[in-house]
Coordinates of all heavy atoms in Angstrom, one line a residue:
T83 N 90.2 88.9 134.6 CA 90.8 88.6 133.2 C 92.3 89.1 133.1 O 92.6 90.1 133.6 CB 90.0 89.4 132.2 OG1 88.6 89.0 132.2 CG2 90.5 88.9 130.7
P84 N 93.1 88.2 132.7 CA 94.6 88.5 132.6 C 94.7 89.8 131.7 O 93.9 90.1 130.8 CB 95.2 87.3 131.9 CG 94.3 86.2 132.2 CD 92.9 86.9 132.3
R85 N 95.7 90.5 132.1 CA 95.9 91.8 131.3 C 96.2 91.5 129.8 O 95.7 92.3 129.0 CB 97.1 92.5 132.0 CG 97.5 93.9 131.3 CD 98.4 94.7 132.2 NE 97.7 95.2 133.3 CZ 98.4 95.8 134.2 NH1 99.6 96.1 134.1 NH2 97.7 96.3 135.3
A86 N 96.9 90.4 129.5 CA 97.1 90.1 128.1 C 95.9 89.9 127.3 O 95.7 90.4 126.2 CB 98.0 88.9 127.9
A87 N 94.8 89.3 128.0 CA 93.6 89.1 127.3 C 92.7 90.4 127.2 O 91.9 90.6 126.2 CB 92.8 88.1 128.1
M88 N 92.9 91.4 128.1 CA 92.3 92.7 128.0 C 92.8 93.5 126.9 O 92.2 94.3 126.2 CB 92.4 93.4 129.3 CG 91.6 92.6 130.4 SD 89.8 92.4 130.2 CE 89.4 94.1 130.4
L89 N 94.2 93.4 126.7 CA 94.9 94.3 125.8 C 95.0 93.8 124.4 O 95.1 94.6 123.4 CB 96.3 94.7 126.4 CG 96.3 95.5 127.7 CD1 97.7 95.8 128.2 CD2 95.5 96.8 127.6
C90 N 95.2 92.5 124.2 CA 95.5 92.0 122.9 C 94.3 92.2 121.9 O 94.6 92.5 120.7 CB 96.1 90.5 122.9 SG 94.7 89.3 123.3
P91 N 93.0 92.1 122.3 CA 92.1 92.4 121.2 C 92.1 93.8 120.7 O 92.0 94.1 119.5 CB 90.7 92.1 122.0 CG 91.1 91.2 123.1 CD 92.4 91.6 123.5
L92 N 92.5 94.8 121.7 CA 92.6 96.1 121.1 C 93.8 96.3 120.2 O 93.8 96.9 119.2 CB 92.9 97.1 122.4 CG 91.8 97.5 123.3 CD1 92.2 98.3 124.4 CD2 90.6 98.0 122.5
A93 N 94.9 95.5 120.5 CA 96.0 95.5 119.7 C 95.7 94.9 118.3 O 96.2 95.3 117.2 CB 97.3 94.7 120.3
G94 N 94.9 93.9 118.3 CA 94.5 93.3 117.0 C 93.6 94.2 116.2 O 93.7 94.3 115.0
I95 N 92.8 94.9 116.9 CA 91.9 96.0 116.2 C 92.8 97.1 115.6 O 92.7 97.5 114.5 CB 90.9 96.5 117.1 CG1 89.8 95.6 117.5 CG2 90.2 97.8 116.5 CD1 88.8 96.0 118.6
A96 N 93.8 97.5 116.5 CA 94.7 98.5 116.0 C 95.4 98.1 114.7 O 95.7 98.8 113.8 CB 95.7 98.8 117.1
L97 N 96.0 96.8 114.8 CA 96.8 96.4 113.7 C 96.0 96.2 112.4 O 96.4 96.8 111.3 CB 97.4 95.0 114.1 CG 98.2 94.3 112.9 CD1 99.3 95.1 112.5 CD2 98.6 92.9 113.4
G98 N 94.9 95.6 112.5 CA 94.0 95.3 111.3 C 93.3 96.5 110.8 O 93.4 96.8 109.6
F99 N 92.6 97.2 111.7 CA 91.7 98.3 111.2 C 92.3 99.6 111.3 O 91.8 100.6 110.5 CB 90.3 98.3 112.0 CG 89.6 97.0 111.8 CD1 89.7 95.9 112.6 CD2 88.7 96.9 110.7 CE1 89.0 94.7 112.4 CE2 87.9 95.7 110.5 CZ 88.1 94.7 111.4
L100 N 93.3 99.9 112.1 CA 93.8 101.3 112.3 C 95.1 101.4 111.4 O 95.4 102.5 110.9 CB 94.1 101.6 113.7 CG 92.9 101.6 114.6 CD1 93.2 102.2 116.0 CD2 91.7 102.4 114.0
C101 N 95.9 100.3 111.3 CA 97.2 100.5 110.7 C 97.2 99.9 109.2 O 97.5 100.7 108.4 CB 98.2 99.6 111.5 SG 98.5 100.4 113.2
L102 N 96.9 98.6 109.1 CA 97.1 98.1 107.8 C 96.4 98.8 106.6 O 97.0 99.2 105.6 CB 96.7 96.6 107.7 CG 97.6 95.7 108.6 CD1 97.1 94.2 108.6 CD2 99.1 95.7 108.2
G103 N 95.1 98.9 106.8 CA 94.3 99.6 105.7 C 94.8 100.9 105.4 O 94.9 101.4 104.2
F104 N 95.1 101.7 106.4 CA 95.5 103.1 106.2 C 96.9 103.3 105.7 O 97.2 104.1 105.0 CB 95.3 103.9 107.5 CG 93.9 104.2 107.9 CD1 93.2 103.5 108.9 CD2 93.1 105.1 107.2 CE1 92.0 103.7 109.2 CE2 91.9 105.4 107.5 CZ 91.2 104.6 108.4
I105 N 97.7 102.3 106.1 CA 99.1 102.3 105.5 C 99.1 102.0 104.0 O 99.8 102.7 103.2 CB 100.0 101.4 106.3 CG1 100.4 102.0 107.6 CG2 101.3 101.1 105.5 CD1 101.2 101.1 108.5
F106 N 98.3 101.1 103.7 CA 98.0 100.8 102.3 C 97.6 102.1 101.5 O 98.0 102.3 100.4 CB 97.1 99.7 102.0 CG 97.5 98.3 102.7 CD1 96.6 97.3 102.9 CD2 98.9 98.1 102.9 CE1 97.0 96.1 103.5 CE2 99.3 96.9 103.5 CZ 98.3 95.9 103.8
G107 N 96.7 102.7 102.1 CA 96.2 104.0 101.5 C 97.2 105.0 101.3 O 97.3 105.8 100.3
V108 N 98.1 105.2 102.3 CA 99.1 106.1 102.2 C 100.1 105.8 101.0 O 100.5 106.7 100.3 CB 100.0 106.1 103.6 CG1 101.3 106.9 103.4 CG2 99.1 106.8 104.7
F109 N 100.4 104.6 100.9 CA 101.4 104.2 99.8 C 100.6 104.1 98.5 O 101.3 104.0 97.5 CB 102.1 102.9 100.2 CG 103.2 103.1 101.2 CD1 103.0 102.9 102.6 CD2 104.4 103.4 100.8 CE1 104.0 103.2 103.5 CE2 105.5 103.7 101.7 CZ 105.2 103.6 103.1
Q110 N 99.3 104.1 98.5 CA 98.7 104.2 97.2 C 98.6 105.5 96.7 O 98.6 105.8 95.4 CB 97.2 103.8 97.4 CG 96.4 103.7 96.1 CD 95.0 103.0 96.2 OE1 95.0 101.8 96.3 NE2 94.0 103.8 96.3
T111 N 98.7 106.5 97.6 CA 98.8 108.0 97.2 C 100.1 108.6 98.0 O 100.0 109.4 98.8 CB 97.6 108.8 97.6 OG1 97.4 108.6 99.0 CG2 96.5 108.4 96.8
P112 N 101.2 108.1 97.6 CA 102.5 108.5 98.4 C 102.8 110.0 98.3 O 103.3 110.5 99.3 CB 103.6 107.7 97.7 CG 103.1 107.4 96.3 CD 101.6 107.2 96.4
A113 N 102.4 110.6 97.2 CA 102.7 112.1 97.2 C 102.1 113.0 98.2 O 102.7 113.9 98.6 CB 102.4 112.7 95.8
I114 N 100.9 112.5 98.7 CA 100.2 113.3 99.7 C 100.2 112.5 101.1 O 99.8 113.2 102.1 CB 98.8 113.6 99.4 CG1 97.9 112.3 99.3 CG2 98.8 114.3 98.1 CD1 96.5 112.6 99.0
G115 N 100.6 111.3 101.2 CA 100.5 110.6 102.4 C 101.8 110.4 103.1 O 101.8 110.3 104.4
I116 N 102.9 110.1 102.4 CA 104.2 109.7 103.2 C 104.8 110.9 104.0 O 105.1 110.6 105.2 CB 105.2 109.2 102.1 CG1 104.7 107.9 101.5 CG2 106.6 109.0 102.8 CD1 105.7 107.3 100.5
L117 N 105.0 112.0 103.5 CA 105.6 113.1 104.3 C 104.8 113.4 105.5 O 105.4 113.5 106.6 CB 105.8 114.3 103.4 CG 106.5 115.6 104.0 CD1 107.8 115.1 104.6 CD2 106.6 116.7 103.1
P118 N 103.5 113.7 105.5 CA 102.8 113.8 106.7 C 103.0 112.7 107.8 O 103.1 112.9 108.9 CB 101.3 114.0 106.2 CG 101.3 114.4 104.9 CD 102.6 113.8 104.2

């Protein structure tokens, strides 16, 4: 399997499930989320 095919699903999981939702949560409670 090409390296791109092995890595991009992980990148998609990272973008959708690890980054977006949690970044939204940080900016929903900016007082306790942004500085950390």
Side-chain angles (χ1 to χ4, degrees):
T83 304
R85 182 166 288 177
M88 297 296 289
L89 294 179
C90 73
L92 287 180
I95 291 173
L97 175 59
F99 293 93
L100 302 188
C101 292
L102 291 178
F104 287 105
I105 286 179
F106 296 161
V108 166
F109 283 91
Q110 181 169 285
T111 54
I114 64 175
I116 289 181
L117 181 56

